[in-house]
Amino acid sequence: MKRWPETTAIAALVAVLATAVLAQDRHSGAPEPETMPPGDVGFAVRDVRVFDGTSILEGANVVVRDGLIHAVGPGAAIPEGIDVIDGNGQTLLPGFIDAHTHSWGTARADALRLGVTTELDMLGDWRRLPAIKQQRESLDATSEADLWSAGAAVTAPGGHGTQYGMEVPTLAAGDDAGAFVAARVQEGSDYIKLIVEDMAAYGIELRLPTLSPEQLSDGIAAAHQAGKLALVHVSAGEAGLDAIEAGADGLVHLFADISTGDRFVRAAVERDAFVVPTLSVLASVAGQNQGATLAADPRLGPLLTDEQKAALGSNFGRTADARVLERALAGVRKLHAAGVDILAGTDAGNPGTAHGASIHGELELLVRAGLDPVEALAAATSVPARRFGIGDRGRIAPGLRADLVLVEGNPAQDIHATRRIRSVWKNGHAVAMVRPAAAPSEAAAPSPAGTLVSDFDGGTIDARFGAGWAPTTDQMVSGTSTVAHALVANGADGSAGALQVSGEVKAGAPFPWSGVIFFPAGKPMQPLDFSDRTELVFHVRGDGRTYNAMVFSGASAQGMPSTQTFFAGESWTEVRLPLDDFGGADFTRLRGLAFTAGHPAGTFEFRIDQVEIR
């Protein structure tokens, strides 16, 4: 069962009828003048090219009142006393909708500044769902894009989505998929995302547990029974076909392993499924450096923070496969030609992407894949609004929310014109077009000559360089996890000592963690340049859990860490982690190196020894 957009509210219908009456001239053929009522807040853009979500209107007037679009068209009357913006030579667009993001921190503010007024989050903290629903229903001024969210995804224990250190519910073999989906609906998920991902499509050795075909089918059926869209994360072509044949409403990635086949295209057409190909992140996986090109674009550069530029310049390390992007572009071309709805989504939050900026790169890639510029613009506005049932945005029409972007030039002819942003309005309120003030830049000192960090053979917990070792837990973000660390005798290879790390990971924080962190510079989180190193090497033994090695790096001390996992068994084992495999890490500015326990909650104990950065 599919769920389609709600009908326009009665208030919107009244606005349409009122606009039609105002546009009529009962005597001379010209619109009668109108006066703004007292207390009415609004503005008008005059003589502007309008992309209304589906087509182009030339020389139109657009009138906004109290957060809503009041009138649109060449003959739309502009009330007396209203602020008027000259739109000659410019194009007014609906605010962009990024149909695949992962939004945390400053993501929504960064998105809005670059014209993305709505983000569709595909996995995140479900505890915030009531707050984001309340915000998006308001017409008040805001500095953030509105957010719809899947909340917690449907994934297997230890599967994709569980490896980021945050506690998430999982669907185990034998569990009731209907009850699991019902719990997500109760939490407030706007749609249900199911994850079918074992990582094989990326050509790497890591294999993750994933949903069975029966769990996938049952989860999709449960989502539809609850009146929710069922979306599926895949990277493998076979899994994508299985998802569509099981009744998925849409895929939120295109394939990384094979070209899009005719059977899949036919199935998508027959079942009216849509695809969010996320070409931006696939370009990053393919090592195409599209993000770095966006960061260097002088049209976008003044609006980007240092953190956004660093994110755009990062990559997925050794997973790069240039064929991934070309296969995806060809797949979009086939799907679009067959009439399958294509939605613009960036997977912002991943290496090589940045919220707000990447939608402009996604539009360029969609045009490369065969959409004409107007179709690409629709893929980022009216099409996601229609497919996700968001009836108050995505178009410029009377009665709809005044989420608008004004750009120089004509993106219907040159898609790059979306990058020449003049103004953004959210709920009819102008958005500040100035990026947040950046903290003073820190120059990274060179790394020390030696490779050994600590051997823990002395009488204190020390390090050969840097600010040493410190406990780290989620208590800094209101969590309650605990940790203790101490020197113990009998280290690896018969050495004198090792560092014991023990504690308890407790549920409650959005991203629970507990462990220790090493700061390589003289002060915590100051950067050092380790770009001449290739490998993190250490010895470990422990309680049989899987742990996280986390790298904090880059332009911002508040940036998200890059992570690899390791296993701590009962015997001492040497672990060698290539630095290139810490996706998105910037080793020209290494700030911290942590060894932590994350999901699942519970007590833990492990020991590390002979830590080196070689």
Side-chain angles (χ1 to χ4, degrees):
M1 180 180 69
K2 295 186 184 291
R3 306 296 296 181
W4 303 113
E6 298 176 359
T7 57
T8 305
I10 293 175
L13 178 58
V14 171
V16 172
L17 295 174
T19 300
V21 171
L22 288 170
Q24 291 178 353
D25 177 13
R26 292 169 291 200
H27 305 292
S28 65
E32 294 182 351
E34 185 183 0
T35 303
M36 289 283 287
D40 208 5
V41 178
F43 65 93
V45 185
R46 179 181 60 205
D47 190 25
V48 68
R49 179 183 302 104
V50 173
F51 170 69
D52 66 5
T54 59
S55 58
I56 297 293
L57 305 174
E58 295 287 353
N61 298 335
V62 178
V63 180
V64 172
R65 281 184 167 179
D66 284 339
L68 300 177
I69 298 164
H70 178 69
V72 182
I78 298 178
E80 296 178 357
I82 196 173
D83 290 336
V84 178
I85 299 163
D86 183 5
N88 186 43
Q90 300 171 75
T91 303
L92 191 67
L93 308 162
F96 295 121
I97 301 173
D98 190 332
H100 189 140
T101 68
H102 299 281
S103 305
W104 60 78
T106 63
R108 292 160 64 196
D110 291 339
L112 184 58
R113 193 171 58 255
L114 285 136
V116 174
T117 56
T118 300
E119 289 197 329
L120 306 182
D121 183 83
M122 289 297 160
L123 184 150
D125 182 10
W126 59 92
R127 299 170 185 87
R128 63 182 174 170
L129 295 177
I132 64 174
K133 289 176 186 287
Q134 183 178 13
Q135 179 177 350
R136 73 193 191 207
E137 291 169 359
S138 171
L139 286 173
D140 292 342
T142 177
S143 61
E144 296 183 316
D146 288 339
L147 193 69
W148 270 251
S149 179
V154 184
T155 191
H160 185 58
T162 68
Q163 72 269 50
Y164 301 117
M166 61 182 289
E167 183 184 8
V168 297
T170 56
L171 181 65
D175 286 352
D176 185 338
F180 189 91
V181 169
R184 309 289 75 78
V185 174
Q186 182 65 31
E187 289 165 354
S189 293
D190 293 301
Y191 35 82
I192 301 301
K193 177 186 176 185
L194 303 101
I195 296 179
V196 182
E197 178 63 83
D198 66 2
M199 304 302 288
Y202 295 105
I204 57 179
E205 295 182 0
L206 173 68
R207 291 292 178 272
L208 294 178
T210 192
L211 300 178
S212 68
E214 293 77 19
Q215 289 175 313
L216 175 65
S217 295
D218 290 348
I220 291 172
H224 290 164
Q225 183 65 33
K228 301 292 184 182
L229 291 173
L231 314 175
V232 182
H233 164 116
V234 297
S235 61
E238 183 178 352
L241 179 60
D242 290 345
I244 296 300
E245 293 184 337
D249 296 286
L251 300 187
V252 293
H253 291 292
L254 207 46
F255 318 129
D257 61 341
I258 62 172
S259 300
T260 303
D262 292 340
R263 184 179 170 190
F264 175 82
V265 174
R266 287 195 300 270
V269 171
E270 291 170 0
R271 297 175 183 271
D272 193 27
F274 62 82
V275 174
V276 187
T278 59
L279 298 172
S280 294
V281 79
L282 292 178
S284 181
V285 170
Q288 297 299 298
N289 297 320
Q290 191 217 26
T293 301
L294 284 174
D297 191 320
R299 294 164 292 193
L300 296 175
L303 298 175
L304 299 176
T305 64
D306 289 343
E307 288 84 355
Q308 285 174 294
K309 291 179 180 179
L312 288 166
S314 62
N315 58 64
F316 277 90
R318 292 184 178 177
T319 63
D321 179 352
R323 298 169 297 175
V324 169
L325 180 60
E326 294 308 315
R327 286 195 293 255
L329 291 169
V332 170
R333 189 172 293 110
K334 289 179 67 173
L335 290 163
H336 176 62
V340 175
D341 278 339
I342 302 296
L343 281 61
T346 65
D347 209 0
N350 277 285
T353 68
H355 291 266
S358 289
I359 199 69
H360 301 278
E362 190 75 18
L363 291 170
E364 176 187 3
L365 289 168
L366 289 174
V367 171
R368 280 181 58 187
L371 281 69
D372 67 40
V374 169
E375 291 168 334
L377 293 171
T381 54
S382 62
V383 178
R386 171 169 56 84
R387 295 309 301 248
F388 279 81
I390 308 173
D392 68 342
R393 65 195 71 202
R395 295 178 293 124
I396 299 179
L400 301 190
R401 188 177 293 257
D403 290 358
L404 303 167
V405 182
L406 182 65
V407 301
E408 295 181 11
N410 185 1
Q413 294 181 351
D414 176 12
I415 198 63
H416 298 93
T418 65
R419 306 179 188 190
R420 297 196 289 268
I421 301 171
R422 289 292 303 274
S423 300
V424 177
W425 292 271
K426 182 76 186 77
N427 303 334
H429 299 273
V431 175
M433 299 300 294
V434 179
R435 65 182 178 185
S441 178
E442 295 178 274
S447 63
T451 65
L452 181 66
V453 174
S454 294
D455 57 17
F456 305 110
D457 287 342
T460 60
I461 302 173
D462 58 1
R464 298 294 179 92
F465 56 90
W469 297 86
T472 178
T473 74
D474 54 29
Q475 291 184 27
M476 66 179 64
V477 291
S478 302
T480 57
S481 298
T482 60
V483 70
H485 64 297
L487 286 176
V488 293
N490 301 320
D493 297 332
S495 67
L499 181 65
Q500 176 181 277
V501 185
S502 60
E504 183 178 5
V505 176
K506 299 181 181 181
F511 302 93
W513 80 88
S514 178
V516 292
I517 186 169
F518 166 69
F519 299 113
K523 294 182 180 180
M525 297 306 282
Q526 282 188 328
L528 280 187
D529 185 351
F530 277 81
S531 58
D532 59 338
R533 309 299 174 89
T534 61
E535 194 173 36
L536 172 63
V537 181
F538 56 96
H539 288 68
V540 65
R541 64 175 294 185
D543 54 8
R545 285 180 57 135
T546 296
Y547 291 92
N548 301 313
M550 306 169 70
V551 166
F552 296 82
S553 65
S556 171
Q558 286 75 46
M560 291 292 291
S562 304
T563 303
Q564 292 190 61
T565 59
F566 62 91
F567 178 74
E570 63 181 21
S571 300
W572 282 108
T573 303
E574 184 183 61
V575 177
R576 306 170 73 96
L577 301 178
L579 300 188
D580 282 350
D581 287 353
F582 285 95
D586 176 9
F587 283 96
T588 66
R589 289 176 286 193
L590 176 64
R591 296 177 179 273
L593 176 63
F595 299 88
T596 67
H599 179 72
T603 59
F604 68 89
E605 187 271 327
F606 67 92
R607 300 179 182 190
I608 55 174
D609 196 12
Q610 299 174 17
V611 180
E612 295 182 74
I613 308 176
R614 295 181 180 173

